[in-house]
Amino acid sequence: MKFNCLIVDDEPLAVALMENHIKQVPFLTLAGKCFNAMEAIAFLEKNEVDLIFLDIEMPYLTGMQLKSFLPEKQKVIFTTAYSEFAIESYEKNAFDYLLKPITFERFLKSVKRLQSIESIKPTITPSPAETHIFVKSGREIIKLEYDDILYIEGLKDYVSLVTDTDKVITYKLMRELEETLPANFARVHLSYIINCNKIRKISDNQVIIQEKNIPISEKYRDSFLQKVSGRML
């Protein structure tokens, strides 16, 4: 299991140190670096990461304040020079708390523990025989046939599964849902997963499903076109 990581810290030297630590660990990949909370918010609107190394004392918004804007499931390891924040960091449901200057030994111990915990979590994937999914929406559990889903749209901490007749909203990260879908579904944008069987037309950087124009982002364009190329005449 590998983790895409984001560093958020207003101290360039601290960022450089964390970047070097990440490079030494084979199961970690650096997705980005941000020097304040506002940069991080802008980055996370366009990118998903598995783990954030988050400084606490920063301008505009502190790391503690930024954590309150993040999805509950987002893994965060706080990094700070001030030990008095330790209790509050765990109250914020942080995975860990690293005190600067952060040694590689302490860093490795933290991320290895995360890897160990995440690797034993059960992965739920549909078997080839499965034709439907059960979706919890409010107080209801709704059965949706995969063949009936036109597309899925991400709405921050929620996703909307759209069919011909309904729109079912549930609490789920796009990344988690993507891992459970059959092969005929494809990610075309940070905010969209589509059912390739429902495509009416592909025009420039858009997929048209019924009357809905869905953007194709540069990040997912090649993998999507590779998937549909096998169906072209």
Side-chain angles (χ1 to χ4, degrees):
M1 176 175 290
K2 292 194 174 184
F3 300 92
N4 287 323
C5 305
L6 173 66
I7 302 170
V8 186
D9 198 312
D10 64 329
E11 300 176 28
L13 291 177
V15 171
L17 177 65
M18 294 301 291
E19 184 176 3
N20 186 63
H21 285 352
I22 289 170
K23 287 179 180 179
Q24 308 309 313
V25 182
F27 59 84
L28 298 182
T29 302
L30 182 62
K33 300 177 286 185
C34 298
F35 294 91
N36 60 61
M38 302 311 294
E39 286 184 13
I41 289 172
F43 180 89
L44 292 169
E45 285 178 351
K46 298 180 180 180
N47 303 274
E48 293 181 357
V49 297
D50 303 303
L51 175 61
I52 301 175
F53 294 99
L54 181 57
D55 186 28
I56 293 179
E57 289 290 287
M58 295 186 295
Y60 308 118
L61 289 175
T62 68
M64 294 292 182
Q65 291 170 327
L66 176 58
K67 177 67 171 68
S68 67
F69 288 101
L70 300 176
E72 186 67 24
K73 295 182 180 180
Q74 177 66 65
K75 294 289 185 296
V76 170
I77 294 177
F78 279 118
T79 61
T80 182
Y82 304 98
S83 59
E84 60 264 29
F85 290 119
I87 294 176
E88 187 179 356
S89 73
Y90 291 115
E91 289 175 348
K92 292 284 187 181
N93 200 31
F95 178 78
D96 205 350
Y97 175 95
L98 301 180
L99 194 61
K100 297 177 181 179
I102 300 166
T103 66
F104 181 71
E105 180 183 8
R106 178 67 180 88
F107 174 87
L108 184 61
K109 181 179 180 180
S110 181
V111 296
K112 285 288 287 182
R113 183 164 65 89
L114 176 62
Q115 183 194 42
S116 177
I117 291 171
E118 291 296 306
S119 65
I120 63 175
K121 286 185 177 180
T123 302
I124 303 173
T125 55
S127 69
E130 287 182 337
T131 60
H132 59 270
I133 186 173
F134 287 98
V135 180
K136 187 177 186 300
S137 182
R139 297 183 179 181
E140 298 180 321
I141 297 177
I142 300 169
K143 179 182 177 182
L144 289 178
E145 297 291 335
Y146 286 124
D147 287 344
D148 291 339
I149 299 172
L150 302 176
Y151 62 90
I152 300 163
E153 182 176 3
L155 307 166
K156 291 189 177 179
D157 299 345
Y158 296 83
V159 296
S160 174
L161 297 93
V162 180
T163 70
D164 277 321
T165 59
D166 204 0
K167 182 183 289 186
V168 179
I169 297 176
T170 185
Y171 181 82
K172 195 80 171 176
L173 293 177
M174 288 283 277
R175 181 177 67 248
E176 295 174 337
L177 183 59
E178 184 180 12
E179 294 172 354
T180 71
L181 293 169
N184 56 294
F185 285 82
R187 187 79 173 265
V188 296
H189 189 275
L190 187 69
S191 300
Y192 288 99
I193 298 171
I194 67 164
N195 185 344
C196 294
N197 295 339
K198 304 296 183 178
I199 296 173
R200 182 164 66 85
K201 184 167 57 175
I202 301 173
S203 178
D204 295 326
N205 289 322
Q206 291 186 326
V207 177
I208 293 86
I209 295 180
Q210 293 189 352
E211 302 306 316
K212 174 73 172 180
N213 288 14
I214 297 171
I216 305 170
S217 72
E218 191 67 30
K219 179 178 180 179
Y220 298 101
R221 182 177 177 82
D222 289 346
S223 60
F224 166 62
L225 292 178
Q226 184 177 3
K227 175 170 283 194
V228 299
S229 65
R231 304 181 180 205
M232 293 182 186
L233 293 178

